[in-house]
């Protein structure tokens, strides 16, 4: 009998251990599965980067530094929680553990880097929110948890619920199942379904809002990065639940219930998840009885995977495209008026290009199932959901991950370390000062500290992100007013298990001499090296920079002016506006546009040449380069970490004095410009710039004549040509190159 008991005890321990190390997407150790790459979808590699870099740390890998319990008679536990968060942040990071109980919250809690607020159990720890927002006089007091410029912090294993006792009365029971407390014709038809449990706060006031309960559970702002919400219940918010603002990135929202909101007024009330960041991973969440699940306002490379949604998946406020919605249950209730995949009215703006919907279980109200045929869907220019490809990805997924270590045990994985704000081989003037910033993360734990050295001389240790030096007036004198010479910076990151990784960077100060000017002053087309498309900027796209099929238009022409040391201003010929990184943002996935002047370093570009191609780095942020987002056709242009192997950062320059053009050429005989589109083509090519009935010949890559015809209404059928490169020539000598997919 004792043996049996020992066996059962041992078996129970094994089961507990199994649960503790069971692998979930978002844990440490998941990497892109290169064997499942489908080159039709270059964004697959970016999707694999979504979420916390290195994964959410395992519960056992982060030490508990503070433990709190409910204090009887205390009407507001927010101050106690804030004090514990501040103390743990000051000590280098760790966990604030809340013991089971109901914690009254009446004031805002500001999250800090490297701090995890964790409940003893998800259902046992309840934060009951009594906060009231009084309006514009308290612009940052409407969020229960406010994150700004925070790194490596999380909420885990707890519940939140809003107590909307309004004017001395409880509006609704805290555990009821509702949709909204207010209805409008745009979102809900409760008036047509009186027996449904769809509530509103004041049925006589269609757009009424109880302003003092306009309270949001979580907002992530600024440069918040590598933060997470895991295994939480967010029920019945005052107005909205989770907001991830641009430019926050690498956020994970996992295993979380989002349900109900007390009001759906104007200006974004009633939202469940509102994602405007980049590389946000939303996995295994349930969202219901809310106004929208929104992907909007600059969102790019976000992943919604294996979630359950009973609202619309909404793209109606200017996302940047290339977001992935895969393997979800999207079931729009029949009382919800938006389409299951919504884009709003025309004034909301068009959805971004390249968003992908694949392998979802979709039920659109009373309209039945949709998009279940394994095609890859996207939005067309009419804002409708249409097939992007009629065949599935080669290996059945666009979110291709595999396990690579980080299984909760075994050998410690060492930290990842890189420099930001200064690049390898940088050349600085004598007397320059430097402000190094180090990015450090740990794939199976947390960062304990980062030390910085210059020429092996210790500068200072940082215990919490952001890890930066030289920015304080009374510190780091060794990094200021540098003399002529060669310098080596070294960053050493130590993780919570004592593992260390170092990264070095060399730079030179003084006696640099100016480089030979790589680009002569003049006007150029800036072309992709991967297709025939060109960089343009137009007022109708709010002056954003993007790729477009070539044409002899001024919005595709750029005037280069050399300022010295291969630094240039780049001005658009059509608008006379200068290429820039708006607001001097530094980092990945920052949109590129044009501005009316070029006074700042973020409006100047340093050129680098490799063979016959160029790369361009913004002067204010030399660790990133001008990049075609995801390498897509009609791609948006943003900044991305510079790499000599990144094809999306390689550009051709075609001076206006030359006639070479992948899809349009100028005849030396008659000054005629011939343009072809679309390019690449499939069935038919339109030819502009030649008269009707012009003799035409088409040659393949090897010079064989494959078509001999005459232009008929400027159209040429190419549907019988196999995939490849072709050249079109007229009897007047005009030539153009085109591709068949």
């Amino acid at each position: 009998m004792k043996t049996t008991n020992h066996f059962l005890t041992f078996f129970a321990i094994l089961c507990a251990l199994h649960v503790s190390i069971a692998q979930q997407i978002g844990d440490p150790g998941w990497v892109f599965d290169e064997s499942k790459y489908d080159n039709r979808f270059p964004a697959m590699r970016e999707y694999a980067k979504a979420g916390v870099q290195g994964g959410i740390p395992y519960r056992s890998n982060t030490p508990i530094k503070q433990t709190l319990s409910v204090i009887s008679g205390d009407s507001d536990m927010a101050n106690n929680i804030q004090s514990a968060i501040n103390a743990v942040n000051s000590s280098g990071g760790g966990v604030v553990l809340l013991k089971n109980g109901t914690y009254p919250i009446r004031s805002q809690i500001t999250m800090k880097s490297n701090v995890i607020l964790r409940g003893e159990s998800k259902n046992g720890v309840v934060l009951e929110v009594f906060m009231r927002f009084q309006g514009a006089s308290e612009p940052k007091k409407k969020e229960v948890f406010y994150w700004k410029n925070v790194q490596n912090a999380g909420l885990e294993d707890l519940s939140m619920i809003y107590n909307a006792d309004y004017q001395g009365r409880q509006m609704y029971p805290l555990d009821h199942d509702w949709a909204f407390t207010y209805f409008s014709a745009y979102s809900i038809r409760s008036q047509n379904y009186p027996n449904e449990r769809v509530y509103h706060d004041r049925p006589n006031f269609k757009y009424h809002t109880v302003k003092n309960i306009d309270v949001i559970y979580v907002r992530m702002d600024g440069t918040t990065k590598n933060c997470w919400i895991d295994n939480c219940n967010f029920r019945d918010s005052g107005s909205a639940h989770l907001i991830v603002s641009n430019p926050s990135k690498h956020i994970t929202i996992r295993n979380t219930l989002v349900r109900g909101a007390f009001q759906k007024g104007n200006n974004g009330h009633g939202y469940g998840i509102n994602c405007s960041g980049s590389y946000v991973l939303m996995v295994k969440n349930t969202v219901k009885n809310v106004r929208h699940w929104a992907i909007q306002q600059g969102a790019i490379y976000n992943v919604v995977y294996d979630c359950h949604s009973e609202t619309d998946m909404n793209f109606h406020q200017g996302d940047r495209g290339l977001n992935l919605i895969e393997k979800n249950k999207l079931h729009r209730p029949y009382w919800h008026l938006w389409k299951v995949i919504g884009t709003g009215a025309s004034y909301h703006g068009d959805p971004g290009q390249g968003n992908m919907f694949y392998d979802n279980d979709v039920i659109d109200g009373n309209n039945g199932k949709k998009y279940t045929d394994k095609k890859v869907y996207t939005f067309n220019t009419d804002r409708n959901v249409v097939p992007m490809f009629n065949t599935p990805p080669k290996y059945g997924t666009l979110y291709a991950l595999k396990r690579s270590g980080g299984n909760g045990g075994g050998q410690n994985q060492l930290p990842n370390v890189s420099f930001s704000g200064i690049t390898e081989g940088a050349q600085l003037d004598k007397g320059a000062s430097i402000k190094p910033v180090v990015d450090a993360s740990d794939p199976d734990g947390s960062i304990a500290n980062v030390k910085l050295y210059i020429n092996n001389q210790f500068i200072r240790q940082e215990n919490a992100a952001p890890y930066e030096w030289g920015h304080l007036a009374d510190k780091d004198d060794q990094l200021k007013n540098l003399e002529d010479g060669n310098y080596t910076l070294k960053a050493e990151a130590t993780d919570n298990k004592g593992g260390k990784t170092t990264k070095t960077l060399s730079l030179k100060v003084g006696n640099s001499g100016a480089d030979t000017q790589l680009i002569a002053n003049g006007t150029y087309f800036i072309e992709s090296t991967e297709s025939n498309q060109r960089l343009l900027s137009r007022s109708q796209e709010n002056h954003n920079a993007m790729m477009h099929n070539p044409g002899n238009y001024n919005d595709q022409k750029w005037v280069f002016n050399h300022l010295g040391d291969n630094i240039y201003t780049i001005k658009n010929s059509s608008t006379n506006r200068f290429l820039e990184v708006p607001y001097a943002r530094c980092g990945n996935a920052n949109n590129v546009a044009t501005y009316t002047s070029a006074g700042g370093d973020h409006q100047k570009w340093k050129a680098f040449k490799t063979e016959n191609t160029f790369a361009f780095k913004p002067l204010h942020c030399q660790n990133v380069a001008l990049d075609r987002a995801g390498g897509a056709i009609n791609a948006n242009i943003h900044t991305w970490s510079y790499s000599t192997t990144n094809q999306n950062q390689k550009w051709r320059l075609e001076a206006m004095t030359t006639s070479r053009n992948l899809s349009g050429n100028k005849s030396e005989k008659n000054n005629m410009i011939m343009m072809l589109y679309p390019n690449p083509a499939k069935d038919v090519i339109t030819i502009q710039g030649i008269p009707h009935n012009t003799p035409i010949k088409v040659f393949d890559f090897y010079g064989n004549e494959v078509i001999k015809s005459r232009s008929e209404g400027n159209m040429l059928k190419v549907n019988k040509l196999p995939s490849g490169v072709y050249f079109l020539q007229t009897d007047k000598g005009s030539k153009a190159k085109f591709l068949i997919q």
Side-chain angles (χ1 to χ4, degrees):
M1 187 65 178
K2 290 182 179 179
T3 302
T4 302
N5 287 339
H6 289 163
F7 173 79
L8 291 176
T9 302
F10 179 69
F11 181 76
I13 292 172
L14 284 179
C15 290
L17 288 173
H18 176 75
V19 170
S20 69
I21 63 171
Q23 296 307 309
Q24 305 179 69
I25 291 174
D27 280 346
W30 291 94
V31 297
F32 179 62
D33 188 348
E34 193 69 41
S35 69
K36 294 183 179 178
Y37 179 65
D38 186 331
N39 60 14
R40 295 177 298 168
F41 308 101
M44 286 178 67
R45 291 192 177 97
E46 301 306 317
Y47 296 146
K49 300 174 185 176
V52 174
Q53 293 174 303
I56 297 174
Y58 293 109
R59 301 293 198 267
S60 60
N61 285 353
T62 309
I64 296 172
K65 296 286 189 69
Q66 295 270 333
T67 300
L68 298 180
S69 298
V70 175
I71 300 175
S72 178
D74 195 332
S75 63
D76 185 9
M77 290 292 296
N79 291 332
N80 303 59
I81 294 172
Q82 186 69 70
S83 296
I85 289 174
N86 294 345
V88 171
N89 168 260
S90 298
S91 69
V95 175
V96 175
L97 181 68
L98 302 180
K99 302 293 286 184
N100 287 340
T102 298
Y103 294 73
I105 305 295
R106 283 184 163 83
S107 54
Q108 185 179 84
I109 298 170
T110 302
M111 292 298 292
K112 298 294 182 71
S113 294
N114 301 308
V115 179
I116 300 168
L117 183 63
R118 180 185 299 159
E120 186 177 9
S121 65
K122 177 169 66 174
N123 296 317
V125 174
V126 178
L127 306 185
E128 186 174 359
V129 178
F130 293 85
M131 285 173 58
R132 297 293 183 265
F133 174 61
Q134 300 303 324
S137 63
E138 297 183 85
K140 293 184 179 179
K141 301 299 183 184
K142 66 190 298 181
E143 299 88 5
V144 181
F145 287 99
Y146 187 64
W147 319 47
K148 186 168 185 179
N149 305 331
V150 175
Q151 296 191 35
N152 306 311
L155 294 180
E156 299 175 349
D157 309 335
L158 54 79
S159 295
M160 294 177 67
I161 194 162
Y162 194 76
N163 187 312
D165 182 12
Y166 178 58
Q167 294 182 350
R169 63 183 177 86
Q170 179 66 53
M171 293 180 66
Y172 296 107
L174 288 178
D175 60 351
H176 74 280
D177 188 13
W178 58 5
F180 308 103
T181 59
Y182 142 93
F183 68 81
S184 85
Y186 294 107
S187 292
I188 189 169
R189 47 173 130 227
S190 60
Q191 64 270 37
N192 298 329
Y193 297 91
N195 294 324
E196 294 301 313
R197 301 190 71 184
V198 179
Y199 297 94
H200 45 84
D201 54 21
R202 291 196 173 182
N204 295 326
F205 297 94
K206 192 171 186 179
Y207 294 98
H208 175 70
T209 300
V210 183
K211 292 189 180 298
N212 74 344
I213 66 168
D214 184 11
V215 173
I216 299 165
Y217 281 163
V218 170
R219 182 191 291 274
M220 297 183 181
D221 270 349
T223 57
T224 294
K225 178 181 178 183
N226 287 325
C227 293
W228 65 91
I229 295 168
D230 189 24
N231 196 40
C232 292
N233 285 328
F234 289 162
R235 296 183 292 156
D236 306 344
S237 69
S239 64
H241 294 81
L242 304 176
I243 298 176
V244 180
S245 303
N246 186 17
S248 297
K249 59 186 176 181
H250 290 295
I251 308 298
T252 299
I253 303 170
R254 184 176 72 174
N255 297 322
T256 292
L257 169 67
V258 173
R259 191 198 74 178
F262 269 96
Q263 58 188 356
K264 179 207 168 295
N266 297 326
N267 301 321
H269 295 125
Y271 278 57
I273 298 177
N274 185 348
C275 176
S276 301
S278 57
Y279 296 99
V280 179
L281 172 62
M282 293 159 274
V283 59
K284 287 193 174 297
N285 303 299
T286 297
V287 178
K288 60 189 294 188
N289 304 133
V290 292
R291 182 182 189 177
H292 301 306
W293 184 333
I295 310 291
Q296 59 180 6
Q297 296 172 327
I300 186 171
Y301 294 133
N302 300 297
V303 174
V304 180
Y305 186 81
D306 196 16
C307 293
H308 180 100
S309 171
E310 294 183 23
T311 184
D312 61 303
M313 186 64 62
N314 199 282
F315 297 75
H316 77 277
Q317 292 285 358
D319 68 283
R320 287 162 58 197
L322 296 170
N323 299 287
L324 174 64
I325 315 297
E326 180 175 328
K327 212 174 184 60
N328 303 283
K329 290 183 179 180
L330 308 178
H331 293 184
R332 179 183 68 86
Y334 57 83
W335 46 258
H336 199 301
L337 287 183
W338 287 70
K339 294 180 180 179
V340 66
I341 299 175
T343 59
S346 58
Y347 63 83
H348 281 122
D350 292 333
Q353 297 180 1
N355 290 311
M356 286 184 270
F357 309 92
Y358 174 67
D359 196 21
N360 297 291
D361 177 3
V362 180
I363 298 179
D364 193 11
N366 287 331
N367 299 319
K369 284 188 172 289
K370 288 186 174 184
Y371 322 126
T372 58
D373 48 13
K374 298 296 185 179
K375 297 177 182 178
V376 178
Y377 286 86
T378 191
F379 294 114
N380 65 7
T381 55
D382 295 323
R383 305 157 64 92
N384 294 316
V385 179
V386 298
M388 173 186 283
F389 288 95
N390 290 322
T391 55
K394 189 182 299 183
Y395 297 99
T397 184
L398 294 167
Y399 189 48
L401 300 180
K402 67 178 181 180
R403 292 292 303 161
S404 178
N407 61 1
Q411 186 175 358
N412 179 34
Q413 296 186 67
L414 298 180
N416 301 312
V417 185
S418 63
F419 280 95
S420 177
I422 187 168
T423 57
E424 171 66 33
Q427 179 76 56
L428 306 176
D429 294 333
K430 181 180 179 179
S433 298
I434 57 176
K435 299 178 181 180
V437 178
V438 174
D439 293 328
S441 62
D442 190 49
D444 62 347
S446 60
I447 298 296
N449 60 70
V450 179
K451 298 181 177 71
L452 183 72
Y453 301 80
I454 186 167
N455 290 348
N456 289 322
Q457 179 185 3
F458 177 68
I459 304 297
R460 185 164 50 84
Q461 174 178 304
E462 283 280 353
N463 296 323
Y467 307 104
E468 53 188 339
W469 292 262
H471 60 296
L472 301 174
D474 59 344
K475 289 189 177 182
D476 310 331
D477 289 339
Q478 305 97 315
L479 305 178
K480 299 172 182 178
N481 299 315
L482 297 177
E483 297 293 332
D484 290 353
N486 297 315
Y487 293 83
T488 300
L489 292 175
K490 180 176 74 172
E492 181 185 80
T494 303
D495 67 17
N496 60 304
K497 296 181 181 178
K500 295 182 179 182
T501 300
T502 60
K503 178 73 174 180
T504 60
L505 180 148
S506 299
L507 55 93
K508 184 177 181 180
V509 175
N511 297 323
S512 60
D515 296 335
T516 302
Q517 184 175 343
L518 295 175
I519 304 169
N521 288 359
T523 303
Y524 297 82
F525 292 121
I526 304 176
E527 300 178 337
S528 167
T529 59
E530 299 293 290
S531 72
N532 67 318
Q533 291 202 310
R534 292 174 177 161
L535 179 68
L536 63 68
S537 177
R538 300 184 293 203
S539 58
Q540 56 262 47
E541 282 98 16
N542 201 29
H543 298 288
N544 287 322
M546 59 186 63
M547 300 304 295
H548 198 277
N549 288 337
N552 191 33
Y553 306 112
N554 285 335
D555 55 28
Q556 298 184 10
K557 300 174 184 176
W558 299 88
V559 180
F560 281 70
N561 181 40
H562 186 228
L563 305 177
D565 197 23
N566 276 305
I567 298 167
Y568 300 81
T569 59
I570 305 175
K571 184 174 70 173
N572 188 270
S573 290
S574 176
T575 63
N576 289 319
R577 293 166 62 99
F578 294 87
L579 196 67
E580 69 150 6
V581 183
Y583 308 108
R585 295 187 176 111
C586 182
N588 287 346
N590 288 314
N591 188 51
V592 174
T594 60
Y595 190 64
T596 53
S597 63
D601 284 351
H602 61 292
Q603 293 145 353
K604 301 178 178 70
W605 301 83
K606 183 153 187 174
F608 299 84
K609 187 175 183 181
T610 304
E611 296 180 345
N612 293 320
T613 67
F614 294 87
F616 299 99
K617 298 181 181 180
L619 189 58
H620 76 292
C621 186
Q622 287 280 289
N623 61 315
V624 300
L626 196 69
D627 185 283
R628 299 180 292 277
I633 297 298
N634 301 324
N636 183 59
I637 304 303
H638 63 188
T639 58
W640 200 259
S641 297
Y642 175 67
S643 171
T644 57
T645 61
N646 187 343
Q647 299 301 314
N648 299 328
Q649 297 175 356
K650 295 182 179 180
W651 302 87
R652 284 191 302 264
L653 295 184
E654 181 179 346
M656 295 305 300
T657 57
T658 68
S659 62
R660 183 183 61 81
N661 189 335
L662 288 181
S663 66
N665 289 85
K666 186 175 180 180
S667 168
E668 296 178 359
K669 295 183 179 180
N670 58 10
N671 205 35
M672 177 175 63
I673 293 177
M674 179 174 65
M675 303 300 303
L676 309 181
Y677 66 90
N679 191 355
K682 290 184 178 180
D683 300 316
V684 176
I685 285 179
T686 298
I687 310 170
Q688 288 186 345
I690 64 174
H692 177 68
N693 206 32
T694 297
I696 292 172
K697 292 181 180 180
V698 176
F699 301 88
D700 66 16
F701 185 80
Y702 302 99
N704 301 311
E705 182 178 297
V706 293
I707 293 179
K708 184 175 183 181
S709 181
R710 289 180 177 270
S711 61
E712 298 178 2
N714 296 333
M715 305 291 286
L716 177 67
K717 293 182 178 179
V718 293
N719 57 313
K720 295 184 179 180
L721 296 179
S723 299
V725 179
Y726 296 89
F727 301 87
L728 185 148
Q729 180 175 331
T730 71
D731 64 335
K732 302 297 184 181
S734 294
K735 298 179 181 179
K737 175 182 174 182
F738 65 94
L739 309 174
I740 298 292
Q741 285 186 335

